[in-house]
Amino acid sequence: MARIHARIGLIQVVLVASLLGIVVRAAQVQLVMGGAYADEAAKSRTELRTLEARRGTLYDRGGLSMAVTQESYRVGIAPNEVEERTALIRVAARQLDVSASALKRDFARKPYLYFYGPFTATDVEPLRAFKGVHIEGVFLRFYPSQRLAGRVIGRMTPDGEAASGLERALGGLITGTPGEEVVLKDRRGRRYESPGRLRKDPIPGNDVVLTIDAELQDIAEQALAETVAEFSAQGGDILFLDPRTGEILAVASQKNGAPDLMAFTEPFEPGSTAKLFTAAALLTHERVDTSDRVDNEGGHWKMELSNGRTRAITDEHAKPGMLTMAQAIEVSSNVVMAKLSDRLTPVEQYQQLRDFGFGAPTGVELPSESRGIVYRPERWQPELDRVSVAMGYYFEVTVLQLAAAYAAIANDGILLTPTLVREVRAPDGTLLYRHQPEPVRRAVSSEVAAQLREFLRGASSVGGTGSRAQVGSYGVLGKTGTARRIRNGKYVNEYIASFASMFPADDPQLVVVVKIDGPTGGQFFGGEVAAPVVRMMLEQALASKRVSFDRARMLGGQAASATNAAPSRPQITRPAPSRVVMPWPLPADSADPGTVAVPPLVGLSVRAAAVALHRRGFEVSATGAGTVRGSNPAAGTAARMGSTVRLQVE
Amino acid sequence: MSAPAARHPGELRWETRLLTVVTVTMVVFGIANTYGALSLQTAGGGGAGFALRQFVGAMLGLLGLSVVSRVDYHLWRRLAWPLFFATILLLLIPILPGTERIAPRIHGARRWVDIGPLNFQPSEIARLAIIVWCAALAAKKGVQVREFKKGVLPFLVGIGTVALLILGQPNLSMAILVTLLGLIVLFSAGAKIGHFILLGLGGLLLLFEKIQSAQYRVARLTTFLNPGEATAAAGMQIHQSLVGIGSGRVLGVGFGEGQQKLFLPFAYSDFIFSTIGEEWGFLGIVLVVVLFGLFLWLGMRIARSAPDPLGQFLAVGITAMIGITAVMHMAVSLALMPTTGLTLPFMSYGRSSLVISLVATGILINIGRMRGRPARKAAAE
């Protein structure tokens, strides 16, 4: 018995010691390490869930929705949680548009039924009452006007990322700020059916009113498609720009099914449409008098080069004789422009092109735009390249740059930044941003601009190459271009037909650039291919109720003959932006016309600094992306246009 | 055997009364925590549904307790062999092929038997049956248990049979527990220490081989030995249990407020102690330990002053059953032991376990009541 008592005691001691061990261990876990475990518990049990913010709507300038985000719903049904089975099958079949028998079968067979939808709020509302139905809200992007302006607006990837176009470029402006919610989850990562705690409300994105005019865009896209088909061309671009504001009213591009907006991204040699820029340089530097006459050598001139060889220059449209510069542009005489270019230095030509914004990004909201190509004058071969430039070769421009340059001519010489964004509105409707014309620089003086418009008047009048563009009695100012294309470094018999124009002739409200790539079938001149498209589009635009011309201004210029051309319609009232009046150019940058002051850049982002430098004609080199600490040459220093400014980045 | 102390029958009843109070307290606390551990669950009627079912089990168990506590525990000597064979038969049900209908495979093991209204775990019954059988056998053999062939070997055969059957379910932790309980009875009956050392060595070898054969046990064991390396799968349970208990700190996060139950498998049974630690804090754990400590102290008191060896062995076995199960359960929750599926007696959800524990306590109470009376059997022997 004593042994038994001892052994019972031993068992008891072991067990009590174990219990004490438990208490000691619990003290260690709870009292000593408790804080760390509590932190870990809080972290692992909760999940920070992002609440998607509603994306802003994109409107055309008239308020038509072009990209809308709508809350849609997807429906999941967990059959094992369902209580009113028959009723649910009946309602679900009706609301989700599926067959009741298939639903019944799936109920028995599948652990979880998922209906991708998307369904509307009214579709899913009756299902909310049922247990076991899980309704999931998703934001989906819709494009009500289908493909209209698709290349500008861009698209979303299926998982809700902006893939291209403005959807992507506008970035944080329209995405809004996602909210946060804390939800409980269990060990399998499932979120428990307890209400999440809201940490941050999602802030919807801003609405953006684009400068695009849906109607004009439609006209442009249709006209482009028809023209490309008619001439079996490879593609083409059409761009409408408001010269007083820089607003892009329509932009259409088409090429072999590629999704890019070629009008912004693909530079080309402009050909004769660029003759006006050499003319601008000649006028600015007073190297030519309007009464000067130059022999066009009967349309065929063998230009003698210093090495004893010759270069043949031909006019396609000119009748032989002595031509003034106005006449040379009217008939697009290469010979006369080639001869006149001798009166300019390459630097002067180069600077004029840079002044019109070539060789630099325009600053439009789509970052994919090309800057085009303008070679530095040091690289030019003497004699050859200045002639090429005068005829519109040896540099490349985008349709957008060409339109912006023509808009500068229409806008009394001031180059504006082209834009696609007219207004930004907060979700509650407050106006956050309204586009104001953004002058880049004075490209030419007001007098020269007026003179250039006179040249254009000649070029698009009867006898000029662009005569087929004329619309009723309003008059179109424009210049045709027919540029040969380069293939593998050689010019081939493939052409780019273009027409850069302004409408109406007096007080232009629109700059229209049409460019058709590789028209075939015998017709390839800008005057034959591109100019008629402009007329057709302008006629349609005038006949349209929605396209917003300032008809009062048009009538002011054409009071007498207005009745037959423009039917009197209720005028669309919109505040006519006042003509840009500002001290321009800014106080003399420097005496030497070839140099420009480096702007103050400190504190700007590299991107903003690069834009500022590009606009002044500088090349930029920077390493890294951050805030600019300084530049070399320093701010205020006069530096040659086209030279490189190095940014010191933090 | 020393002569029973001449005490007034009523004088010693306070122990049995206190034991009843401790037991009922634990059962009530357990039901409450079953509800709390399931506060975030909606399936199966939610916490209320589980608590209600546990309450029904508790009523059944308490009825059993009061009946058994009034039945002379010497009855168990006669019932020992029938109970032993019945247990073996019941344990055979889930092992035999073709019995899936009444013994379904749940979570990879067949531990439940489901016959009509009865739904229970035969291994829970085996836990008590082995104690009764060992106690009765030890009491009968007397000093013979010090021999090997006639003493220890018959025990080993009986215990081994039951343990192997349980192992076949498979349920390693219950097999170990049953073996341990049988050996404790044998030990308290006076078997030689040398035999136990030999047994322990052999058992370790067997155990190691057995553990290696089951992948999930290897995972649990390696996790236990090296928790930092494998927190992904198996160590997750232990780790989550620690996180839960740890975040309870001194006063706990509050009844039903614990969140860790979402991460723990069977937070209402296998890990009820973890939930208690989280929701009641260190104070709750101390309370639970004190309750089991009281039970142990009272049980061993009853064992020591039992009127005859049968009562002693039964009392030691039953007290050890409650105590060891509780310690093992708590040790698992605190990462002091590899994960097992053992429940916390009286507190974990699970009616088989609860009823068996209460019935066993009934036997213990009866032994406590008996000790004031003349030891008629002892005199007879």
Side-chain angles (χ1 to χ4, degrees):
Chain A
M1 209 65 201
R3 177 183 290 132
I4 291 176
H5 277 246
R7 290 199 170 179
I8 289 175
L10 188 64
I11 293 167
Q12 189 175 6
V13 165
V14 169
L15 282 174
V16 169
S18 305
L19 282 179
L20 281 176
I22 295 287
V23 171
V24 170
R25 171 68 172 165
Q28 184 208 1
V29 169
Q30 295 188 294
L31 308 184
V32 181
M33 288 143 72
Y37 280 127
D39 288 348
E40 189 186 333
K43 240 188 294 162
S44 65
R45 281 164 194 167
T46 53
E47 183 184 88
L48 205 57
R49 222 181 88 194
T50 317
L51 297 174
E52 209 186 336
R54 184 197 198 84
R55 226 174 145 77
T57 307
L58 298 184
Y59 297 101
D60 94 321
R61 62 191 296 124
L64 191 79
S65 325
M66 304 199 78
V68 194
T69 288
Q70 280 177 359
E71 172 133 49
S72 303
Y73 301 90
R74 289 175 183 155
V75 178
I77 299 175
N80 63 331
E81 295 172 27
V82 172
E83 285 170 2
E84 300 152 87
R85 198 184 182 84
T86 34
L88 176 59
I89 289 178
R90 202 185 59 240
V91 174
R94 191 180 65 224
Q95 296 304 122
L96 308 179
D97 198 23
V98 286
S99 91
S101 54
L103 208 54
K104 209 170 198 165
R105 202 175 53 237
D106 285 349
F107 257 66
R109 213 181 282 165
K110 296 187 183 170
Y112 197 72
L113 283 63
Y114 193 69
F115 301 91
Y116 192 76
F119 302 102
T120 63
T122 39
D123 283 341
V124 298
E125 198 50 46
L127 292 170
R128 288 190 189 275
F130 289 95
K131 256 191 148 177
V133 175
H134 303 272
I135 293 169
E136 183 189 341
V138 282
F139 284 121
L140 290 181
R141 196 74 162 163
F142 293 99
Y143 300 94
S145 27
Q146 299 297 327
R147 276 166 303 160
L148 191 65
R151 289 171 197 239
V152 188
I153 289 169
R155 286 292 181 264
M156 310 287 287
T157 59
D159 52 5
E161 298 287 320
S164 59
L166 284 170
E167 291 278 27
R168 185 161 175 193
L170 292 175
L173 202 59
I174 54 172
T175 50
T177 315
E180 279 173 0
E181 184 185 49
V182 177
V183 288
L184 286 176
K185 58 175 191 184
D186 70 5
R187 71 200 136 101
R188 290 189 191 143
R190 287 180 307 209
R191 290 189 286 275
Y192 236 74
E193 263 191 85
S194 63
R197 193 152 35 87
L198 197 64
R199 286 245 301 230
K200 215 163 66 185
D201 267 321
I203 303 165
N206 299 314
D207 294 336
V208 172
V209 179
L210 302 177
T211 59
I212 299 289
D213 183 314
E215 183 94 17
L216 205 55
Q217 178 73 30
D218 191 31
I219 290 170
E221 286 181 10
Q222 300 274 2
L224 182 62
E226 282 168 20
T227 309
V228 167
E230 187 185 340
F231 294 99
S232 311
Q234 291 157 9
D237 308 282
I238 294 178
L239 194 141
F240 282 79
L241 189 68
D242 183 338
R244 292 160 306 170
T245 59
E247 293 177 354
I248 295 165
L249 300 175
V251 51
S253 286
Q254 186 183 329
K255 190 176 193 178
N256 296 343
D260 300 346
L261 190 63
M262 268 73 72
F264 287 15
T265 59
E266 199 175 84
F268 66 106
E269 289 185 311
S272 303
T273 49
K275 284 185 174 132
L276 215 54
F277 308 130
T278 300
L282 287 162
L283 291 172
T284 303
H285 296 290
E286 294 175 348
R287 304 285 156 73
V288 72
D289 195 277
T290 45
S291 59
D292 275 358
R293 285 178 180 275
V294 179
D295 190 355
N296 81 335
E297 309 283 347
H300 298 281
W301 180 46
K302 289 204 182 324
M303 181 186 170
E304 285 173 23
L305 304 173
S306 53
N307 59 9
R309 299 168 74 171
T310 57
R311 177 179 176 183
I313 293 168
T314 320
D315 287 356
E316 300 285 355
H317 311 283
K319 41 197 183 296
M322 301 290 284
L323 303 178
T324 61
M325 197 158 77
Q327 287 168 327
I329 287 175
E330 191 177 309
V331 298
S332 203
S333 169
N334 290 332
V335 175
V336 174
M337 291 313 291
K339 286 183 169 180
L340 286 174
S341 70
D342 192 28
R343 303 180 186 183
L344 290 168
T345 65
V347 172
E348 284 164 343
Q349 272 183 300
Y350 172 81
Q351 196 197 326
Q352 187 63 66
L353 291 180
R354 297 290 302 205
D355 280 349
F356 273 112
F358 299 119
T362 59
V364 77
E365 287 81 1
L366 290 181
S368 56
E369 70 161 327
S370 161
R371 63 196 306 184
I373 299 171
V374 180
Y375 296 105
R376 306 264 317 269
E378 300 93 279
R379 287 185 55 186
W380 295 16
Q381 296 175 42
E383 298 175 335
L384 286 176
D385 289 333
R386 84 181 148 71
V387 172
S388 298
V389 168
M391 298 191 301
Y393 291 91
Y394 194 58
F395 70 105
E396 293 186 6
V397 305
T398 63
V399 168
L400 177 64
Q401 286 175 322
L402 192 60
Y406 268 70
I409 296 170
N411 192 32
D412 278 348
I414 294 172
L415 181 68
L416 301 177
T417 304
T419 183
L420 283 163
V421 175
R422 190 170 153 81
E423 275 177 17
V424 178
R425 288 182 178 277
D428 61 359
T430 32
L431 188 66
L432 298 177
Y433 166 86
R434 172 156 213 138
H435 177 71
Q436 294 295 325
E438 264 179 64
V440 178
R441 72 177 75 80
R442 179 173 279 288
V444 286
S445 71
S446 173
E447 296 76 29
V448 170
Q451 187 63 58
L452 292 173
R453 289 202 297 273
E454 282 311 305
F455 291 165
L456 288 176
R457 192 184 293 276
S460 45
S461 64
V462 180
T465 52
S467 58
R468 296 190 194 185
Q470 288 312 328
V471 178
S473 53
Y474 287 111
V476 174
L477 302 181
K479 180 75 197 80
T480 58
T482 311
R484 297 182 88 174
R485 294 176 76 173
I486 302 176
R487 285 252 184 266
N488 303 322
K490 285 194 172 159
Y491 285 96
V492 293
N493 281 331
E494 230 179 86
Y495 297 89
I496 293 174
S498 58
F499 188 62
S501 60
M502 308 170 191
F503 176 86
D506 298 306
D507 198 2
Q509 293 182 28
L510 284 178
V511 164
V512 190
V513 173
V514 173
K515 174 197 145 206
I516 304 296
D517 286 337
T520 56
Q523 290 184 308
F524 54 84
F525 288 117
E528 294 167 336
V529 178
V533 184
V534 172
R535 187 187 65 205
M536 181 177 82
M537 291 191 297
L538 288 174
E539 281 171 354
Q540 288 176 356
L542 278 171
S544 155
K545 276 183 179 142
R546 285 198 72 232
V547 176
S548 46
F549 286 109
D550 187 346
R551 291 174 206 257
R553 264 173 58 201
M554 285 167 60
L555 290 170
Q558 300 272 323
S561 57
T563 40
N564 58 347
S568 57
R569 290 212 167 90
Q571 285 158 14
I572 293 159
T573 52
R574 65 167 176 154
S578 56
R579 192 166 284 258
V580 183
V581 179
M582 49 168 43
W584 195 265
L586 291 166
D589 280 349
S590 71
D592 180 359
T595 60
V596 183
V598 175
L601 301 165
V602 174
L604 293 179
S605 68
V606 169
R607 188 180 163 83
V611 168
L613 289 169
H614 282 146
R615 284 180 179 172
R616 286 165 177 79
F618 291 114
E619 302 280 329
V620 181
S621 106
T623 47
T627 315
V628 174
R629 290 292 294 274
S631 61
N632 180 25
T637 319
R640 297 244 317 281
M641 284 176 77
S643 64
T644 303
V645 175
R646 282 176 218 294
L647 295 179
Q648 281 125 41
V649 184
E650 220 164 53
Chain B
M1 189 191 274
S2 61
R7 283 176 177 157
H8 189 272
E11 191 187 345
L12 297 165
R13 300 273 300 264
W14 67 271
E15 285 158 345
T16 58
R17 276 193 199 146
L18 186 55
L19 194 68
T20 314
V21 169
V22 166
T23 307
V24 170
T25 306
M26 288 200 278
V27 169
V28 170
F29 193 64
I31 293 174
N33 278 297
T34 302
Y35 179 74
L38 289 156
S39 66
L40 293 179
Q41 186 124 353
T42 48
F50 276 82
L52 190 68
R53 284 196 290 280
Q54 180 77 340
F55 178 76
V56 171
M59 287 299 114
L60 206 67
L62 286 172
L63 187 73
L65 180 142
S66 64
V67 170
V68 168
S69 69
R70 283 173 176 81
V71 174
D72 187 341
Y73 67 88
H74 294 95
L75 169 74
W76 296 99
R77 194 199 323 252
R78 271 182 285 144
L79 282 180
W81 279 102
L83 195 62
F84 181 75
F85 286 122
T87 302
I88 286 182
L89 279 178
L90 284 174
L91 285 172
L92 274 171
I93 294 177
I95 291 173
L96 292 176
T99 53
E100 263 83 3
R101 178 170 293 188
I102 52 171
R105 187 168 288 274
I106 299 170
H107 301 298
R110 295 173 68 192
R111 297 178 183 175
W112 271 267
V113 169
D114 196 348
I115 309 167
L118 281 172
N119 176 7
F120 60 96
Q121 293 193 60
S123 56
E124 292 287 347
I125 294 175
R127 211 156 49 134
L128 183 58
I130 204 76
I131 291 167
V132 170
W133 180 78
C134 285
L137 198 63
K140 187 177 156 202
K141 288 198 182 293
V143 289
Q144 217 175 17
V145 295
R146 291 189 62 77
E147 291 170 36
F148 186 76
K149 228 176 181 175
K150 287 196 171 173
V152 175
L153 199 60
F155 285 95
L156 292 185
V157 171
I159 296 168
T161 310
V162 173
L164 280 174
L165 285 173
I166 294 174
L167 209 53
Q169 292 181 347
N171 190 348
L172 177 67
S173 44
M174 186 61 92
I176 292 175
L177 183 70
V178 163
T179 312
L180 212 56
L181 291 176
L183 292 180
I184 280 178
V185 173
L186 191 58
F187 176 76
S188 62
K192 274 186 173 170
I193 305 284
H195 292 154
F196 280 97
I197 293 171
L198 276 175
L199 271 176
L201 287 175
L204 267 180
L205 284 173
L206 195 76
L207 203 65
F208 190 69
E209 191 268 325
K210 206 64 210 171
I211 285 175
Q212 268 197 329
S213 71
Q215 190 105 45
Y216 75 99
R217 292 191 201 109
V218 177
R220 279 176 182 177
L221 199 74
T222 48
T223 316
F224 173 71
L225 296 174
N226 213 345
E229 266 182 22
T231 36
M236 206 58 194
Q237 285 180 15
I238 292 182
H239 184 72
Q240 292 300 347
S241 170
L242 274 184
V243 167
I245 295 176
S247 55
R249 304 177 87 167
V250 183
L251 296 173
V253 296
F255 176 63
E257 294 294 317
Q259 305 293 328
Q260 207 61 18
K261 54 195 99 161
L262 299 181
F263 295 84
L264 286 168
F266 314 111
Y268 49 89
S269 66
D270 290 6
F271 281 99
I272 189 87
F273 187 66
S274 181
T275 308
I276 292 172
E278 183 185 9
E279 297 188 352
W280 300 83
F282 184 63
L283 287 185
I285 284 185
V286 169
L287 174 72
V288 171
V289 169
V290 164
L291 285 172
F292 278 108
L294 270 175
F295 190 98
L296 227 98
W297 176 60
L298 293 171
M300 291 304 181
R301 256 187 87 88
I302 289 171
R304 254 187 244 112
S305 54
D308 57 9
L310 176 69
Q312 281 180 331
F313 303 154
L314 269 178
V316 168
I318 288 166
T319 310
M321 174 179 96
I322 300 296
I324 290 177
T325 316
V327 165
M328 277 169 82
H329 176 99
M330 293 190 271
V332 165
S333 296
L334 285 165
L336 294 169
M337 240 184 80
T339 312
T340 64
L342 288 179
T343 56
L344 188 61
F346 305 119
M347 293 196 191
S348 283
Y349 175 77
R351 284 161 293 177
S352 307
S353 161
L354 182 61
V355 169
I356 292 297
S357 297
L358 286 173
V359 167
T361 309
I363 299 172
L364 197 58
I365 288 171
N366 181 260
I367 298 167
R369 281 188 182 154
M370 283 297 186
R371 66 182 199 170
R373 299 182 186 175
R376 55 189 171 101
K377 292 288 170 189
E381 276 174 24

Short mmCIF file of all heavy atoms in Angstrom, two decimals, chain A residues 257-281:
data_model
loop_
_atom_site.label_atom_id
_atom_site.label_comp_id
_atom_site.label_asym_id
_atom_site.label_seq_id
_atom_site.Cartn_x
_atom_site.Cartn_y
_atom_site.Cartn_z
N GLY A 257 -4.53 48.93 -90.54
CA GLY A 257 -5.08 48.32 -89.32
C GLY A 257 -4.27 48.55 -88.07
O GLY A 257 -4.63 48.07 -87.01
N ALA A 258 -3.14 49.26 -88.16
CA ALA A 258 -2.37 49.54 -86.95
C ALA A 258 -3.18 50.47 -86.05
O ALA A 258 -3.92 51.31 -86.54
CB ALA A 258 -1.05 50.19 -87.32
N PRO A 259 -3.05 50.28 -84.73
CA PRO A 259 -3.94 51.04 -83.83
C PRO A 259 -3.41 52.43 -83.45
O PRO A 259 -4.05 53.14 -82.72
CB PRO A 259 -3.98 50.14 -82.59
CG PRO A 259 -2.66 49.47 -82.59
CD PRO A 259 -2.22 49.34 -84.01
N ASP A 260 -2.25 52.80 -83.95
CA ASP A 260 -1.66 54.06 -83.51
C ASP A 260 -2.37 55.27 -84.11
O ASP A 260 -3.06 55.18 -85.11
CB ASP A 260 -0.19 54.13 -83.91
CG ASP A 260 0.60 53.01 -83.29
OD1 ASP A 260 0.06 52.38 -82.37
OD2 ASP A 260 1.71 52.76 -83.75
N LEU A 261 -2.10 56.39 -83.46
CA LEU A 261 -2.60 57.65 -83.97
C LEU A 261 -1.45 58.26 -84.77
O LEU A 261 -0.65 59.03 -84.26
CB LEU A 261 -2.98 58.54 -82.79
CG LEU A 261 -3.75 59.80 -83.12
CD1 LEU A 261 -5.09 59.47 -83.74
CD2 LEU A 261 -3.94 60.63 -81.89
N MET A 262 -1.39 57.84 -86.05
CA MET A 262 -0.22 58.20 -86.86
C MET A 262 -0.07 59.71 -87.02
O MET A 262 1.04 60.21 -87.24
CB MET A 262 -0.31 57.54 -88.24
CG MET A 262 0.37 56.21 -88.33
SD MET A 262 -0.50 54.89 -87.48
CE MET A 262 -1.90 54.67 -88.56
N ALA A 263 -1.17 60.44 -86.94
CA ALA A 263 -1.10 61.89 -87.08
C ALA A 263 -0.19 62.50 -86.02
O ALA A 263 0.34 63.59 -86.19
CB ALA A 263 -2.48 62.50 -87.00
N PHE A 264 -0.01 61.78 -84.92
CA PHE A 264 0.85 62.28 -83.85
C PHE A 264 2.21 61.59 -83.84
O PHE A 264 3.17 62.13 -83.35
CB PHE A 264 0.20 62.03 -82.48
CG PHE A 264 -0.97 62.92 -82.16
CD1 PHE A 264 -1.61 63.66 -83.15
CD2 PHE A 264 -1.42 63.03 -80.86
CE1 PHE A 264 -2.68 64.48 -82.85
CE2 PHE A 264 -2.49 63.85 -80.55
CZ PHE A 264 -3.14 64.57 -81.56
N THR A 265 2.21 60.37 -84.32
CA THR A 265 3.39 59.54 -84.05
C THR A 265 4.29 59.34 -85.26
O THR A 265 5.42 58.91 -85.09
CB THR A 265 2.96 58.15 -83.55
OG1 THR A 265 2.16 57.55 -84.57
CG2 THR A 265 2.19 58.24 -82.27
N GLU A 266 3.78 59.57 -86.45
CA GLU A 266 4.58 59.19 -87.61
C GLU A 266 4.99 60.41 -88.42
O GLU A 266 4.17 61.03 -89.09
CB GLU A 266 3.75 58.25 -88.49
CG GLU A 266 4.58 57.46 -89.44
CD GLU A 266 3.71 56.47 -90.19
OE1 GLU A 266 3.11 56.87 -91.20
OE2 GLU A 266 3.63 55.31 -89.77
N PRO A 267 6.26 60.80 -88.37
CA PRO A 267 6.69 61.96 -89.13
C PRO A 267 6.89 61.62 -90.61
O PRO A 267 7.16 60.47 -90.95
CB PRO A 267 8.01 62.34 -88.47
CG PRO A 267 8.47 61.14 -87.76
CD PRO A 267 7.32 60.21 -87.56
N PHE A 268 6.73 62.60 -91.44
CA PHE A 268 6.94 62.40 -92.88
C PHE A 268 7.55 63.69 -93.45
O PHE A 268 7.50 64.74 -92.82
CB PHE A 268 5.60 62.10 -93.57
CG PHE A 268 4.61 63.24 -93.54
CD1 PHE A 268 4.34 63.99 -94.69
CD2 PHE A 268 3.98 63.60 -92.37
CE1 PHE A 268 3.43 65.04 -94.66
CE2 PHE A 268 3.07 64.66 -92.33
CZ PHE A 268 2.80 65.38 -93.47
N GLU A 269 8.13 63.57 -94.64
CA GLU A 269 8.65 64.76 -95.30
C GLU A 269 7.47 65.49 -95.92
O GLU A 269 6.72 64.92 -96.71
CB GLU A 269 9.67 64.36 -96.36
CG GLU A 269 10.96 63.85 -95.73
CD GLU A 269 12.06 63.57 -96.75
OE1 GLU A 269 11.77 62.89 -97.74
OE2 GLU A 269 13.17 64.05 -96.56
N PRO A 270 7.27 66.73 -95.58
CA PRO A 270 6.01 67.40 -95.93
C PRO A 270 5.92 67.82 -97.39
O PRO A 270 4.82 67.95 -97.93
CB PRO A 270 5.99 68.61 -95.01
CG PRO A 270 7.41 68.89 -94.70
CD PRO A 270 8.12 67.58 -94.72
N GLY A 271 7.04 68.04 -98.04
CA GLY A 271 6.95 68.51 -99.43
C GLY A 271 6.47 69.95 -99.49
O GLY A 271 6.78 70.77 -98.61
N SER A 272 5.67 70.22 -100.50
CA SER A 272 5.37 71.62 -100.83
C SER A 272 4.61 72.38 -99.75
O SER A 272 4.64 73.61 -99.74
CB SER A 272 4.57 71.67 -102.12
OG SER A 272 5.29 71.03 -103.14
N THR A 273 3.91 71.66 -98.87
CA THR A 273 3.20 72.41 -97.82
C THR A 273 4.20 73.19 -96.98
O THR A 273 3.84 74.15 -96.31
CB THR A 273 2.42 71.45 -96.90
OG1 THR A 273 3.28 70.40 -96.50
CG2 THR A 273 1.20 70.89 -97.58
N ALA A 274 5.49 72.79 -97.03
CA ALA A 274 6.51 73.45 -96.22
C ALA A 274 7.15 74.64 -96.93
O ALA A 274 7.98 75.33 -96.36
CB ALA A 274 7.58 72.45 -95.82
N LYS A 275 6.75 74.84 -98.21
CA LYS A 275 7.33 75.99 -98.92
C LYS A 275 7.02 77.29 -98.19
O LYS A 275 7.79 78.25 -98.20
CB LYS A 275 6.78 76.06 -100.34
CG LYS A 275 7.43 75.02 -101.24
CD LYS A 275 6.98 75.15 -102.67
CE LYS A 275 7.76 74.19 -103.55
NZ LYS A 275 6.88 73.43 -104.45
N LEU A 276 5.89 77.29 -97.53
CA LEU A 276 5.46 78.48 -96.83
C LEU A 276 6.45 78.85 -95.71
O LEU A 276 6.60 80.03 -95.39
CB LEU A 276 4.09 78.21 -96.21
CG LEU A 276 3.10 79.36 -96.15
CD1 LEU A 276 2.89 79.97 -97.52
CD2 LEU A 276 1.77 78.89 -95.59
N PHE A 277 7.11 77.87 -95.16
CA PHE A 277 8.02 78.17 -94.04
C PHE A 277 9.30 78.84 -94.53
O PHE A 277 9.83 79.73 -93.89
CB PHE A 277 8.33 76.89 -93.25
CG PHE A 277 7.08 76.15 -92.84
CD1 PHE A 277 6.94 74.80 -93.09
CD2 PHE A 277 6.04 76.84 -92.23
CE1 PHE A 277 5.78 74.14 -92.73
CE2 PHE A 277 4.89 76.17 -91.87
CZ PHE A 277 4.74 74.82 -92.12
N THR A 278 9.77 78.39 -95.73
CA THR A 278 10.92 79.07 -96.32
C THR A 278 10.51 80.49 -96.71
O THR A 278 11.25 81.46 -96.51
CB THR A 278 11.42 78.28 -97.53
OG1 THR A 278 11.79 76.98 -97.08
CG2 THR A 278 12.61 78.96 -98.16
N ALA A 279 9.30 80.61 -97.25
CA ALA A 279 8.79 81.93 -97.59
C ALA A 279 8.74 82.81 -96.35
O ALA A 279 9.09 83.99 -96.40
CB ALA A 279 7.38 81.81 -98.20
N ALA A 280 8.35 82.23 -95.22
CA ALA A 280 8.28 82.99 -93.98
C ALA A 280 9.67 83.50 -93.59
O ALA A 280 9.84 84.67 -93.21
CB ALA A 280 7.72 82.12 -92.86
N ALA A 281 10.68 82.63 -93.73
CA ALA A 281 12.05 83.04 -93.39
C ALA A 281 12.51 84.16 -94.32
O ALA A 281 13.12 85.15 -93.89
CB ALA A 281 12.98 81.85 -93.47
#
